[in-house]
CSV table of all heavy atoms in Angstrom, one decimal:
chain,number,residue,atom,x,y,z
T,72,TYR,N,149.8,39.6,106.7
T,72,TYR,CA,149.4,38.6,107.8
T,72,TYR,C,149.6,39.3,109.2
T,72,TYR,O,148.9,38.9,110.1
T,72,TYR,CB,150.3,37.4,107.8
T,72,TYR,CG,150.0,36.4,106.6
T,72,TYR,CD1,150.8,36.5,105.5
T,72,TYR,CD2,149.0,35.5,106.7
T,72,TYR,CE1,150.5,35.6,104.4
T,72,TYR,CE2,148.7,34.7,105.7
T,72,TYR,CZ,149.5,34.7,104.5
T,72,TYR,OH,149.2,33.8,103.5
T,73,ALA,N,150.4,40.3,109.3
T,73,ALA,CA,150.6,41.0,110.6
T,73,ALA,C,149.3,41.7,111.0
T,73,ALA,O,149.1,41.9,112.2
T,73,ALA,CB,151.8,42.0,110.5
T,74,HIS,N,148.5,42.0,110.1
T,74,HIS,CA,147.2,42.7,110.5
T,74,HIS,C,146.3,41.7,111.3
T,74,HIS,O,145.6,42.1,112.2
T,74,HIS,CB,146.5,43.2,109.3
T,74,HIS,CG,147.0,44.4,108.7
T,74,HIS,ND1,146.7,45.7,109.2
T,74,HIS,CD2,148.0,44.7,107.8
T,74,HIS,CE1,147.4,46.6,108.6
T,74,HIS,NE2,148.2,46.0,107.7
T,75,VAL,N,146.4,40.4,111.0
T,75,VAL,CA,145.7,39.4,111.8
T,75,VAL,C,146.2,39.4,113.2
T,75,VAL,O,145.5,39.4,114.2
T,75,VAL,CB,145.8,38.0,111.2
T,75,VAL,CG1,145.1,37.0,112.0
T,75,VAL,CG2,145.2,38.0,109.8
T,76,VAL,N,147.5,39.4,113.3
T,76,VAL,CA,148.2,39.4,114.7
T,76,VAL,C,147.8,40.7,115.4
T,76,VAL,O,147.5,40.6,116.6
T,76,VAL,CB,149.7,39.3,114.5
T,76,VAL,CG1,150.4,39.4,115.9
T,76,VAL,CG2,150.1,38.0,113.8
T,77,LYS,N,147.8,41.8,114.8
T,77,LYS,CA,147.4,43.1,115.5
T,77,LYS,C,146.0,43.0,116.0
T,77,LYS,O,145.7,43.4,117.1
T,77,LYS,CB,147.6,44.3,114.5
T,77,LYS,CG,147.4,45.6,115.2
T,77,LYS,CD,148.3,45.8,116.4
T,77,LYS,CE,148.1,47.2,117.0
T,77,LYS,NZ,149.0,47.4,118.2
T,78,THR,N,145.1,42.5,115.2
T,78,THR,CA,143.7,42.3,115.6
T,78,THR,C,143.6,41.4,116.8
T,78,THR,O,142.9,41.7,117.8
T,78,THR,CB,142.8,41.8,114.4
T,78,THR,OG1,142.9,42.7,113.3
T,78,THR,CG2,141.3,41.8,114.8
T,79,LEU,N,144.3,40.3,116.7
T,79,LEU,CA,144.2,39.3,117.9
T,79,LEU,C,144.9,40.0,119.1
T,79,LEU,O,144.4,39.8,120.2
T,79,LEU,CB,145.0,38.0,117.5
T,79,LEU,CG,144.3,37.1,116.5
T,79,LEU,CD1,145.3,36.1,116.0
T,79,LEU,CD2,143.1,36.5,117.1
T,80,ASP,N,145.9,40.8,118.9
T,80,ASP,CA,146.5,41.5,120.0
T,80,ASP,C,145.5,42.4,120.7
T,80,ASP,O,145.5,42.5,121.9
T,80,ASP,CB,147.8,42.2,119.5
T,80,ASP,CG,148.5,43.0,120.6
T,80,ASP,OD1,148.9,42.4,121.6
T,80,ASP,OD2,148.6,44.3,120.5
T,81,ARG,N,144.8,43.2,119.9
T,81,ARG,CA,143.8,44.1,120.5
T,81,ARG,C,142.7,43.3,121.3
T,81,ARG,O,142.3,43.8,122.3
T,81,ARG,CB,143.1,44.9,119.4
T,81,ARG,CG,143.8,46.2,119.1
T,81,ARG,CD,143.0,47.1,118.2
T,81,ARG,NE,143.8,47.2,117.0
T,81,ARG,CZ,143.4,46.9,115.8
T,81,ARG,NH1,142.2,46.3,115.6
T,81,ARG,NH2,144.2,47.0,114.7
T,82,LYS,N,142.3,42.2,120.7
T,82,LYS,CA,141.2,41.4,121.4
T,82,LYS,C,141.8,40.6,122.6
T,82,LYS,O,141.0,40.2,123.4
T,82,LYS,CB,140.6,40.4,120.4
T,82,LYS,CG,139.8,41.1,119.3
T,82,LYS,CD,139.3,40.0,118.3
T,82,LYS,CE,138.5,40.7,117.2
T,82,LYS,NZ,138.1,39.6,116.2
T,83,ALA,N,143.1,40.4,122.6
T,83,ALA,CA,143.7,39.6,123.7
T,83,ALA,C,143.7,40.3,125.0
T,83,ALA,O,144.2,39.8,126.0
T,83,ALA,CB,145.1,39.2,123.3
Side-chain angles (χ1 to χ4, degrees):
Y72 287 100
H74 284 275
V75 176
V76 177
K77 185 60 177 177
T78 303
L79 288 168
D80 178 60
R81 267 189 246 119
K82 292 178 180 178

